[in-house]
Amino acid sequence: MSKLLQRLRDPSRSGVYRTRDERAIMDATRGGQLDVVPIEARENLFDSLSRALAFPEWFGRNWDALEDVLGDLSWRKGDGHVLIFRSYPAGEDLGILLDVLRSTAEYWASRGKPFFAVFIDPAKKLALPDLYREA
């Protein structure tokens, strides 16, 4: 098992991270038991997340509802969740999204299930820790 896969399977390492490229994540998790979901969310954030994660009908398309639905995910299969944000909003919406994702990661970690939100950030502009040391 690769070090990256070990990290992604470890609930205590759950959190919000950045990486330059998603390929290592996709390679490490291929054929595994983690629920890996690429997300394009630059525009229409709530609709994009709802489609990518197949949110239930009750999802209210607001920040509180997003936190509620991410704290459930009972309809998703997998031993943990890895959300790969290929694109994402800017400004205040990004800040709120990061807060919601951090809270969600803490929630799942406290229940022994890994939850990672990974932002593809080749220029390393986001003030987030790196998911892993890249060569």
Side-chain angles (χ1 to χ4, degrees), residues 53-75:
L53 292 163
F55 286 169
E57 290 291 319
W58 56 260
F59 174 58
R61 288 172 173 69
N62 61 58
W63 294 113
D64 289 336
L66 179 61
E67 193 156 18
D68 289 345
V69 77
L70 290 175
D72 182 349
L73 297 176
S74 58
W75 62 94

Side-chain angles (χ1 to χ4, degrees), residues 32-37 53 73 76-83:
Q33 300 301 312
L34 291 171
D35 177 30
V36 181
V37 182
L53 292 163
L73 297 176
R76 303 290 308 176
K77 303 295 182 208
D79 295 337
H81 308 284
V82 181
L83 311 184

Side-chain angles (χ1 to χ4, degrees), residues 5-23:
L5 182 56
Q6 285 178 333
R7 174 180 292 246
L8 293 171
R9 292 181 63 189
D10 182 354
S12 72
R13 305 297 292 268
S14 293
V16 182
Y17 297 90
R18 70 177 179 198
T19 188
R20 291 182 184 196
D21 189 305
E22 71 184 76
R23 284 179 289 193

